[in-house]
Amino acid sequence: MPLESLAAIATGNGDFRIDTVHVGEPRPDEVLVAVKSAGLCHTDHDSLHWGKQIVLGHEGSGIVKAIGSNVKNVKVGDSVILNWATPCRQCFQCIRGNEHICENNSPVVAGSNGYTAGHAHLEGTTYHGRPIGRSFNIGTLSEYTLVKASAVVKNPSKNMSFPAASIISCGVMTGYGSVVNSAKVSPGSSVVVLGTGGVGLSVIQGAKISGAGKIMAIDINEGRLAMAMTFGATHSIKADKADKGLLDAAEKVKTLTDGRGADYAFECTAVPELGAAPLAMVRNAGTAVQVSGIEQEITVDMNLFEWDKVYINPLYGGCNPERDFLKLVGHFESGALKLEEMITNQYPLGQLDRAFGDMLSGKNAKGVIVFE
């Protein structure tokens, strides 16, 4: 019998409603998860404008409720962290170690089956008797979710809360992975972080874990800058909204780096106009990283590339969930990674509108939805 599951459903016209969906039994390669917590980020709000009905949410943690006959990586009762990078392990990219941009299953890589078809088992969740897809194929803003076995990683920690585990699922992984996997920040190097929300704080922590010698945080919000210092930033720079392209802030970065600029700069603001700003922050032959997923068309002054600067746009921090989630859990257990401290507020599902408002106003570093 299908399970009734209270869920947040995008209506397709910029709004959402809390209503009941029905979730079926897992197929041989699927896992049914009772979601305990779901992290929120700007992508969840953006998905209200995707023009279709979907179950919202792409960060989450929970407990395995049932498994398909072929599932070997988890068992019923396991605590798990959900991820939306579900590799096929057979395509061109997976074979080369780029499982996060799988050509068959990715929900965001154009041309993949996941991008065009949504959840591989669309009939697994129904709404008013009709199949409904799940955001990023996992739809975590729901009491239950039915996902591929490759979308769950067992969480071995006995000390981590479900809210803390849920934010590993995307925001923390994206920030940390952009530092460790994509940019490969080296010990003793200088790092500048533009924007100190949840992803920016994760970049800061990744840089600290990597042994960066100088970590400079830039934000317009003094409260967030103060938080950045507690998460590992060594310097803070308050930005001015009128500073176009953050060029004035870039001069302050150069002052702190012997006039050269930082070795690495990470853009975590999600503001399209700042897409090229990290280029202004780095030295010649430095690395600029666009972390926040800006997809709009922007104008770039090519002088910012002079000279030999590298600009990269990684997806999901180059995530290999089975490898990287366990690394993050290990850093949490050792005390090197702060997760609980990143969560500003927790909300029941019925307060999702308030949670979105707090996120959009900059009140939260990270807000999470908790399920009873």
Side-chain angles (χ1 to χ4, degrees):
M1 287 287 292
L3 284 171
E4 288 191 349
S5 177
L6 202 62
I9 301 164
T11 60
N13 61 0
D15 203 355
F16 72 91
R17 65 172 64 98
I18 307 298
D19 207 347
T20 299
V21 298
H22 289 85
V23 184
E25 293 292 322
R27 287 183 174 179
D29 63 343
E30 292 179 334
V31 176
L32 177 66
V33 178
V35 181
K36 294 300 181 182
S37 183
L40 292 178
C41 84
H42 286 267
T43 301
D44 297 313
H45 191 266
D46 291 344
S47 65
L48 299 178
H49 305 279
W50 288 354
K52 59 182 178 181
Q53 286 191 340
I54 54 169
V55 178
L56 293 167
H58 73 292
E59 295 184 346
S61 63
I63 297 174
V64 175
K65 183 79 172 178
I67 61 174
S69 58
N70 294 337
V71 174
K72 307 296 182 186
N73 59 321
V74 293
K75 63 182 185 299
V76 173
D78 280 347
S79 176
V80 293
I81 305 170
L82 287 142
N83 80 86
W84 52 265
T86 53
C88 71
R89 300 191 173 95
Q90 296 177 345
C91 71
F92 176 90
Q93 294 291 0
C94 282
I95 291 171
R96 286 157 180 79
N98 300 320
E99 295 187 352
H100 60 295
I101 49 175
C102 173
E103 293 181 335
N104 287 323
N105 294 342
S106 174
V108 297
V109 174
S112 75
N113 293 331
Y115 181 85
T116 57
H119 196 288
H121 180 190
L122 192 61
E123 296 80 8
T125 304
T126 59
Y127 180 52
H128 291 167
R130 296 183 176 181
I132 184 171
R134 291 181 173 273
S135 177
F136 285 74
N137 295 338
I138 58 176
T140 53
L141 286 170
S142 174
E143 291 176 305
Y144 294 94
T145 184
L146 185 64
V147 299
K148 290 286 188 181
S150 55
V152 295
V153 175
K154 182 179 177 179
N155 184 359
S157 175
K158 304 299 182 185
N159 305 309
M160 188 184 296
S161 70
F162 286 112
S166 73
I167 66 174
I168 284 177
S169 197
C170 185
V172 171
M173 182 66 247
T174 295
Y176 168 90
S178 294
V179 173
V180 175
N181 296 333
S182 304
K184 297 179 173 58
V185 166
S186 56
S189 60
S190 56
V191 171
V192 59
V193 183
L194 287 63
T196 56
V199 173
L201 292 176
S202 300
V203 168
I204 288 170
Q205 295 199 87
K208 182 179 179 182
I209 290 169
S210 296
K214 190 171 290 184
I215 305 171
M216 297 156 279
I218 300 177
D219 207 302
I220 60 173
N221 186 317
E222 289 184 349
R224 284 191 169 185
L225 285 175
M227 181 177 283
M229 296 297 288
T230 69
F231 276 75
T234 59
H235 299 77
S236 66
I237 299 172
K238 188 174 186 301
D240 188 328
K241 284 186 177 181
D243 181 11
K244 187 176 180 180
L246 293 180
L247 296 180
D248 290 341
E251 291 302 313
K252 295 178 181 178
V253 169
K254 290 176 181 177
T255 299
L256 292 169
T257 54
D258 300 322
R260 293 188 183 89
D263 298 314
Y264 306 89
F266 296 84
E267 184 284 313
C268 307
T269 68
V271 176
E273 292 78 11
L274 297 180
L279 284 166
M281 307 284 173
V282 295
R283 59 170 171 77
N284 292 342
T287 300
V289 188
Q290 199 277 297
V291 182
S292 65
I294 294 170
E295 294 181 308
Q296 294 86 344
E297 182 177 325
I298 63 173
T299 300
V300 178
D301 179 358
M302 293 302 293
N303 288 301
L304 293 174
F305 278 98
E306 296 175 349
W307 292 105
D308 294 316
K309 296 179 182 180
V310 176
Y311 184 98
I312 59 175
N313 185 17
L315 176 66
Y316 205 8
C319 175
N320 177 316
E322 290 183 353
R323 175 195 68 201
D324 292 328
F325 282 13
L326 294 181
K327 285 184 179 180
L328 288 166
V329 171
H331 290 315
F332 170 82
E333 293 287 345
S334 73
L337 180 70
K338 296 181 179 181
L339 296 176
E340 309 283 358
E341 297 88 342
M342 197 183 299
I343 299 170
T344 316
N345 282 298
Q346 300 182 27
Y347 312 82
L349 185 62
Q351 293 183 16
L352 179 59
D353 196 47
R354 177 188 159 203
F356 275 145
D358 288 348
M359 177 186 71
L360 295 172
S361 69
K363 180 179 179 180
N364 290 343
K366 198 70 178 177
V368 298
I369 300 297
V370 291
F371 295 90
E372 295 297 332

